[in-house]
Amino acid sequence: MTLNRRHFLLGSASASACLAFSPFNRPARAQSSEYKALVYLFFNGGLDNWDTIIPFDGPAYDRYSQIRQSLLSIDPSYRARSGLLPLNMSGFEGRQFALPAEMSGLHGLFESGRAAIIGNVGPLIESVTRGSFKDGSVRLPARLFSHNDQVATWSSFAPEGGAQFGWGGLFADALRSVNEAPEFSAITTGQSKLFLTGRSVSPYEISANGAVPRNLFTTNREETEGIAALPFYDRLENQPARVRTLTNQRFRDERVRNHSIVNDVAAATRAASTANARYNRATKGATGVTTRFPEGGLGTKLQAVADAIAARSSLGMSRQVFLVSMPGFDTHSDQVNALPRMQGEVSGAITSFQSAMESLGISEQVTLCTASDFGRSLAVNGDGTDHGWGGHSFVVGGAVRGGTVYGELPPADFGHERDAGGGRLIPSTSVESYAASLGRWLGLNDDALRTALPGWGGSTIGVLG
């Protein structure tokens, strides 16, 4: 494919967050200069809802363990009732629930009112029951049970390739005007960027070591035909001397120097370099994060987010949306060994992050929420589980009305109204309602929410004060 200027402009939108090529009439502004941040933690692969929020009262646990006997029998201690952490909550007609022992930190946050559970949330177009699902009389989200498509649907309400913008990016679009440096409105720790892509905001990538240098070019020479006269094709971050060549626009060949694409490349590189320098200065100069995070994996990513939040004043930020993801939850096999390890990592990292926000004195101003491709089937396939639909999410922070479950926790059984077959849950709460609750807390009005969430019906969840 021949590179042309339009191709470059579209492709470089994510390369330099401070270049806004598409104007967007922002329908709302934050109502206060008080800082607020939303941290969206995505579990890639499909977190097993049945193995996270576990039935605990005697009859329900007995049925659960009967259905999952082949899984639980691999290790007699696995999900033994005596080792579970019961949730002290009312409602649900006397039914009881528990978290696995590995999630003791998250359990403590729930019990202290700093975490809540959103039950059975997932993509919906309209209300669905078991009967209407079976007879095909309702509209369903496209390509259910597919990883890539459901990740995209959670991000943008369309399957893979069907949307350009994510609701996190559109939230940031609506709020960016209150920020001194809008290029830091939407920040990612390096995963799929659709969720944070808005019409004017692009995701800004960070790591534990600070800003991540941008790669503006592909290594495919056919795609760089339009700038073939430039003396490089490598990744720019590995070629500092060549970055300076671009930034300064000192090209010996007049034909190259006057090329419109070259000028755009130079502008994008210069803007990215300026943003990176500012970000690194701000985070290195920030103080206040003294919490010790778990090393590696999710702990390192959430520490990078905490560092960015600690630098909020230096960066001139009032509203931010962050994206963090954790892979590995596609537990078709070896679930008994793999899932507890990951659940322990999740619990430890979230607990450290909440502690860091408390040490900064902004716990009520930062909310962490979770999501995943889908839940998983209650039925087992030997030593694992299969793709599902609805699942359970956590919301954590000082503003959370915690210690309770919002929405439904359907019974651990087959054949009920929320069973799509094999214990795959039909969601009772839509992604839009979940997202709208988070957006409203950030300061978005209804017009802004409808722009970001086109299928939103107006309902929200009262999880945030």
Side-chain angles (χ1 to χ4, degrees), residues 37 62 77 136 162 167 226 274 327 412 419 422:
D62 289 345
S77 66
W167 55 267
T274 300
D419 179 24

Side-chain angles (χ1 to χ4, degrees), residues 439-459:
R440 181 162 285 170
W441 173 79
L442 275 174
L444 295 176
N445 62 27
D446 284 0
D447 287 342
L449 290 174
R450 290 190 181 95
T451 297
L453 312 169
W456 180 50
S459 65

Side-chain angles (χ1 to χ4, degrees), residues 161-186:
Q164 292 179 280
F165 309 115
W167 55 267
L170 295 172
F171 279 10
D173 274 345
L175 296 164
R176 70 189 292 271
S177 64
V178 302
N179 293 326
E180 178 184 314
E183 61 267 33
F184 305 120
S185 298

